[in-house]
Amino acid sequence: MSDTTEGQVHGAPDPGAQGLGGPGPGEQGHGGEPAGAAVPVATPVSIGSPQFAVAARHPRRAEGVAAFAFLVALCGFAGFGAAYWQDANNYLLGISLGVAFAAFGFGLVTWGKYLMPRGPFEEPRPQMATTERERAEFVGDFATRGKIAIERRGALGKLMGAAGAVLGVVTLFPLVRSLGPKPDSSMYHTKWRKGARLTSIDNRPVKVDDIEVGGVITVFPENDVGGALSQTVLIRVQATGNVVTGPGKETWGPDGYVAYSKVCTHAGCPVGLYQELTQQLLCPCHQSLFDVETGATPVFGPAPRPLPQLPLYVDAKGYLRAQAGFDEPIGPGFWYRGGSNGSPQ
Amino acid sequence: MIEKLFGWVDDRVALSRSGRHLLNKIFPDHWSFMIGEIALYSFIVLLLTGVFLTLYFVPSGSDVVYHGVYAPLKGQTVSEAFNSTVNLSFQVRGGLLMRQMHHWAANIFVGSIVVHMLRVFFTGAFRRPREANWMIGTTLLILAIFNGFLGYSLPDDLISGTGIRIAFSITESIPFVGTYLGFFLFGGQYPGTAIIPRFFILHVLVLPLIIIGLLAGHLGMLIKHKHAQFRGRGARDDNVVGSPLWPTYAAKAGGFFFLTTGVTALLGAAVQINPIWQYGQYYAYKVSYAVQPDWYMGWLDGALRVMPSWEIHLPGHMVPNVFFPAVLLPGVTFNLIYAWPFIEARLTGDRAEHHLLERPRDQPLRTAIGAAVFAFYFVLFGASATDVLANYLSLSLNFVLWSFRVLCIVVPLIVFPVAYKICVELQSTKGAGQRKRHNVIVRSAEGGYATVSTPEYPGYIQPELDPVPLDHVDLVSAMAADGDEQAEGVYRIPREYR
């Protein structure tokens, strides 16, 4: 990197930098120096000039401060070693290490800021833009030699390109393709099926008298307990009678129960909080509110669609079961989800 | 001995030929140039503490029963990732310190990149020839945010797990390819089993390598261009004024690295961060209150919250709600940042090389645009705390959310003219922003009055000096050949100053 810098400094034709960028007498014969480059006349700067004086008004005092800082650092590092050896707690370990590092840094900065040449110094800066001539030379070299080497071998170039293209295709398929399966029917259907028993996280099927009015529980189909997509929130809204949340859903909420997908239709968080007083479900991630009595329609926040409702029935033994799976894809939207009711393609 | 070794190396790689220019490289002295240094140094802290963490972290989502020392978790089924993170916090010597330092350093890393970027923006340091370096820096910001997200997702705790779920939803919201991307990234439908090991290798190898590569390019270009500098005594477009790398800047910058490390260690010691044992293991059906991501994701979280509940429905297809705040907004944001140097060049018609920095007031329009845009993202950042604010201020969630929806439009509209006006006023105020000096008027024996120049600081005796070139102080070095017996350091400093 510094080699480049050197070339830049001395190689650039920069008449603006008069008396600044010229190599001193000790630099003659450096490699990379263009022969015959205009060397501005250097005004030698005496080492005794005030720029080389230290910055501090009271160097002794600054030296004392730096010395004290290094002493603190020394003790701190030793303390850290002792603390680590003795398996001390996090406070002792971290504070000894932190104080030591900070003191070490403070000492070094004090040294640099107050006890070193105060400057200011300068160096020349070449313009980045090259000259017409430099560019012409470069392009000339590139094009003439390139013409002989490449242009006359057009077929070779095309073959090489074809080989590279094949590599590109192979990278996409099968390499990238094998990272995971294609999106499948799991985008549209959960593991809820007709007759699936509502099962709690501790693997107990839920019976109709398990939950008091106002009670809420997360349920899964018995073959997917804990499933991220089939998680469903079961709420007992009232003691008896069907809960009717909309037309065509007259039988979906038997004995005061309703069940909704627990996956938020906004960004997929579990809709975890239930307010009995207002009959609302709240998603704690982005505060979408769903009205339980009207079919979990979103009433506040960014959620765009209701939580899909799971149709329920109570079997002869009193167990709660699903009449069918959800009638639309659960959770947040995706490109292939289809229209507003989200039927699969 | 050292001289012999140096000679041996020098004969083989010509160290002294290129090395001297490096020693003499000039760094301008201005506090705002240290912000980017903080980013660099916290990245080094990240690498060092991160290597420590990989020695103990197990990147696996498989179930194990927790048998560690933290009593409330005993007997619970957790993932190996969660288990090993808790264990390295409580049962590995210095483990908690390293983990907390790592997390703090990540927050400092992204924070200092953002502030560094603001400095570069408001001083016009992105102008030609530095447009490409501005774009590299923007890429580094994006990668830093991504890697931060991947990193805090690894412990598989309840809060980060919820974040991964949201990330899947955002991925699948992208038109055409979203579901495919999600399935390929997660190895299948959410939650899959592959995500922890995949995030791990991206977090510890792939992204850090890209960051290191871009960082090398960023710094390499900085050396090529040399630092931009503020106007001041002797500073011109065709020079750099300041302190040389050796020894002044090496001491200052080296010291600053240790200061940054020290502050990170103190934070890691005394300020708890991400106590995952309090959140517990992530389960897809569990969630907790006040779910907030790390600060640098806050603007995205806030955007998700204030977005109205709109979606676009097409025949057979749809564009989901989260696409707008979480894909479109960041896409537009970062593309505008990438394009800004070129947009500004077109607006102003100024396509010349610039190495002298501007003060924010020098370009009222740029400053006003920058301030208004930043205010917009700052309001979004605030909006990521709607639930906490509503709870804390005892306001309704409805009111807080609508306030933020209004604020994110109104605040930028107010900030823009105010910033513009302040810039214009400052421009017309003589001496604004400069240190006030004594105004000493003396009366001469003849009865005339005259002002005398006074020092920058009261009682400060050293005069302001003009910059001198270093290249001309040639042979006074440790390898002095001019027969000067007193040459013992790089610079021979007169006795009275030592």
Side-chain angles (χ1 to χ4, degrees):
Chain A
M1 281 190 292
S2 39
D3 269 327
T4 331
T5 316
E6 177 186 340
Q8 289 294 338
V9 170
H10 298 294
D14 188 6
Q18 263 185 13
L20 302 175
E27 281 185 311
Q28 298 301 334
H30 277 184
E33 196 99 13
V39 179
V41 183
T43 329
V45 174
S46 161
I47 195 76
S49 64
Q51 282 87 350
F52 285 90
V54 298
R57 282 174 67 195
H58 306 290
R60 284 254 165 244
R61 209 182 291 167
E63 202 175 339
V65 170
F68 180 73
F70 286 134
L71 210 61
V72 171
L74 192 153
C75 297
F77 285 129
F80 173 73
Y84 190 82
W85 180 37
Q86 292 295 318
D87 198 8
N89 64 33
N90 190 53
Y91 287 105
L92 282 176
L93 278 172
I95 288 175
S96 57
L97 188 69
V99 166
F101 269 131
F104 192 86
F106 184 78
L108 211 46
V109 170
T110 306
W111 194 349
K113 195 169 163 64
Y114 295 108
L115 296 171
M116 287 186 184
R118 59 180 290 233
F121 300 100
E122 68 175 339
E123 65 174 342
R125 179 209 314 268
Q127 290 277 301
M128 272 302 118
T130 49
T131 61
E132 290 281 320
R133 190 194 156 129
E134 282 172 309
R135 196 169 299 178
E137 282 169 356
F138 175 82
V139 172
D141 284 359
F142 185 83
T144 47
R145 291 207 290 274
K147 192 164 270 172
I148 296 164
I150 299 167
E151 264 184 31
R152 295 182 190 168
R153 306 280 181 278
L156 269 187
K158 277 171 196 152
L159 261 180
M160 194 177 85
V166 169
L167 174 66
V169 172
V170 165
T171 310
L172 274 180
F173 190 97
L175 293 188
V176 169
R177 175 63 196 83
S178 70
L179 283 173
K182 270 199 303 196
D184 49 24
S185 66
S186 68
M187 297 302 298
Y188 303 98
H189 303 290
T190 63
K191 294 201 172 142
W192 286 105
R193 294 286 178 273
K194 186 180 177 200
R197 277 203 293 204
L198 274 61
T199 312
S200 67
I201 186 65
D202 48 6
N203 266 313
R204 279 208 350 243
V206 180
K207 285 184 100 165
V208 72
D209 46 3
D210 278 356
I211 300 175
E212 306 280 326
V213 173
V216 59
I217 182 181
T218 304
V219 292
F220 307 87
E222 54 224 303
N223 62 348
D224 190 30
V225 173
L229 301 177
S230 56
Q231 55 174 312
T232 297
V233 57
L234 176 69
I235 307 165
R236 188 155 203 190
V237 180
Q238 58 203 44
T240 53
N242 280 357
V243 185
V244 183
T245 54
K249 301 178 179 177
E250 286 79 6
T251 63
W252 287 20
D255 287 313
Y257 281 96
V258 278
Y260 295 109
S261 163
K262 202 180 169 181
V263 184
C264 186
T265 54
H266 174 229
C269 292
V271 184
L273 302 174
Y274 172 58
Q275 262 189 311
E276 193 195 344
L277 197 66
T278 53
Q279 295 286 8
Q280 283 173 333
L281 280 166
L282 173 74
C283 177
C285 284
H286 307 107
Q287 284 75 50
S288 294
L289 266 182
F290 301 91
D291 182 25
V292 170
E293 286 180 322
T294 58
T297 44
V299 289
F300 175 74
R305 277 168 281 110
L307 300 169
Q309 186 176 353
L310 187 71
L312 306 177
Y313 71 95
V314 181
D315 71 8
K317 291 180 181 163
Y319 288 108
L320 281 163
R321 288 177 185 266
Q323 290 183 29
F326 292 108
D327 65 349
E328 58 178 320
I330 58 111
F334 50 97
W335 177 246
Y336 299 100
R337 189 179 182 277
S340 56
N341 72 345
S343 53
Q345 298 160 297
Chain B
M1 174 65 203
I2 290 173
E3 261 179 58
K4 244 183 164 174
L5 186 67
F6 175 73
W8 189 89
V9 175
D10 200 26
D11 284 345
R12 281 152 186 85
V13 296
L15 200 62
S16 51
R17 193 172 296 154
S18 55
R20 178 150 179 261
H21 286 283
L22 198 63
L23 292 185
N24 290 352
K25 178 173 168 50
I26 299 292
F27 291 78
D29 297 308
H30 194 271
W31 63 268
S32 67
F33 287 59
M34 301 198 304
I35 302 163
E37 282 181 42
I38 297 178
L40 179 64
Y41 301 149
S42 50
F43 183 64
I44 296 172
V45 175
L46 279 171
L47 290 181
L48 296 176
T49 52
V51 167
F52 181 95
L53 297 178
T54 57
L55 300 177
Y56 303 99
F57 177 73
V58 183
S60 158
S62 312
D63 287 345
V64 287
V65 177
Y66 180 75
H67 290 301
V69 295
Y70 186 69
L73 283 176
K74 268 187 185 160
Q76 287 193 26
T77 302
V78 295
S79 69
E80 282 200 82
F82 184 85
N83 186 51
S84 59
T85 311
V86 174
N87 282 346
L88 82 83
S89 303
F90 289 140
Q91 281 154 264
V92 172
R93 262 183 213 197
L96 180 61
L97 179 66
M98 289 297 140
R99 217 191 108 227
Q100 299 204 132
M101 278 178 76
H102 192 72
H103 205 130
W104 273 116
N107 282 332
I108 295 170
F109 181 50
V110 188
S112 50
I113 292 177
V114 171
V115 181
H116 173 61
M117 199 160 196
L118 291 175
R119 196 280 290 174
V120 168
F121 180 85
F122 285 116
T123 59
F126 54 81
R127 291 172 299 166
R128 184 179 169 192
R130 295 185 175 76
E131 305 99 325
N133 228 11
W134 165 261
M135 296 170 85
I136 291 181
T138 308
T139 315
L140 281 168
L141 172 64
I142 298 170
L143 291 175
I145 290 176
F146 260 109
N147 217 24
F149 173 78
L150 293 179
Y152 78 66
S153 294
L154 286 178
D156 203 19
D157 60 281
L158 188 51
I159 288 189
S160 72
T162 311
I164 297 181
R165 166 72 241 202
I166 298 171
F168 185 84
S169 305
I170 292 170
T171 312
E172 71 176 355
S173 80
I174 300 169
F176 302 103
V177 295
T179 41
Y180 290 87
L181 279 181
F183 270 61
F184 291 169
L185 182 63
F186 280 65
Q189 173 64 285
Y190 185 84
T193 52
I195 200 62
I196 298 283
R198 285 187 181 181
F199 273 20
F200 179 73
I201 205 64
L202 286 173
H203 177 72
V204 304
L205 183 77
V206 180
L207 288 190
L209 276 183
I210 301 175
I211 289 176
I212 289 170
L214 289 175
L215 207 50
H218 200 63
L219 298 180
M221 255 198 229
L222 173 122
I223 289 176
K224 183 121 184 157
H225 291 147
K226 303 178 188 293
H227 285 72
Q229 57 189 346
F230 284 100
R231 285 164 207 282
R233 184 167 280 227
R236 297 188 310 272
D237 255 327
D238 62 2
N239 73 351
V240 194
V241 173
S243 311
L245 174 67
W246 184 259
T248 315
Y249 186 76
K252 282 189 190 175
F256 197 49
F257 165 70
F258 290 109
L259 272 172
T260 309
T261 314
V263 170
T264 313
L266 287 175
L267 284 168
V271 190
Q272 187 181 58
I273 189 162
N274 202 25
I276 55 157
W277 45 91
Q278 291 178 11
Y279 311 150
Q281 164 72 33
Y282 172 66
Y283 296 104
Y285 57 90
K286 280 192 182 175
V287 72
S288 76
Y289 158 75
V291 188
Q292 260 82 21
D294 270 22
W295 76 266
Y296 43 83
M297 303 292 282
W299 62 287
L300 283 173
D301 194 50
L304 279 168
R305 288 173 192 227
V306 298
M307 176 73 194
S309 58
W310 300 331
E311 288 187 328
I312 296 177
H313 293 283
L314 307 162
H317 296 291
M318 71 177 298
V319 184
N321 181 277
V322 292
F323 173 75
F324 304 101
V327 180
L328 196 63
L329 175 75
V332 170
T333 303
F334 287 115
N335 277 303
L336 274 181
I337 296 178
Y338 277 124
W340 179 259
F342 310 102
I343 296 174
E344 192 187 289
R346 172 161 288 201
L347 288 180
T348 59
D350 179 2
R351 291 185 169 82
E353 256 186 62
H354 292 285
H355 299 286
L356 285 179
L357 298 173
E358 292 168 315
R359 286 194 291 192
R361 79 187 67 151
D362 298 335
Q363 295 288 351
L365 191 61
R366 175 205 294 149
T367 303
I369 292 174
V373 170
F374 187 71
F376 173 70
Y377 291 103
F378 195 77
V379 174
L380 287 185
F381 172 73
S384 71
T386 44
D387 52 339
V388 180
L389 285 174
N391 205 8
Y392 186 74
L393 302 173
S394 302
L395 294 168
S396 88
L397 203 52
N398 203 324
F399 175 77
V400 176
L401 182 80
W402 272 103
S403 305
F404 273 106
R405 281 178 176 169
V406 173
L407 283 176
C408 71
I409 294 168
V410 170
V411 169
L413 289 180
I414 295 174
V415 166
F416 183 86
V418 170
Y420 192 90
K421 186 76 182 153
I422 289 176
C423 289
V424 174
E425 293 279 316
L426 276 175
Q427 272 183 358
S428 58
T429 310
K430 194 165 169 273
Q434 278 165 3
R435 185 177 289 275
K436 281 188 180 151
R437 300 189 177 197
H438 301 279
N439 210 359
V440 177
I441 301 170
V442 290
R443 188 180 155 195
S444 64
E446 291 79 36
Y449 291 91
T451 50
V452 290
S453 70
T454 49
E456 192 173 358
Y457 301 92
Y460 191 71
I461 42 158
Q462 289 184 342
E464 283 179 65
L465 301 171
D466 287 320
V468 293
L470 262 181
D471 272 355
H472 300 153
V473 190
D474 259 328
L475 294 169
V476 186
S477 73
M479 316 290 282
D482 62 350
D484 188 342
E485 290 157 19
Q486 288 191 334
E488 37 184 271
V490 173
Y491 303 108
R492 180 157 50 96
I493 296 164
R495 270 275 163 228
E496 58 268 32
Y497 287 108
R498 310 191 87 192

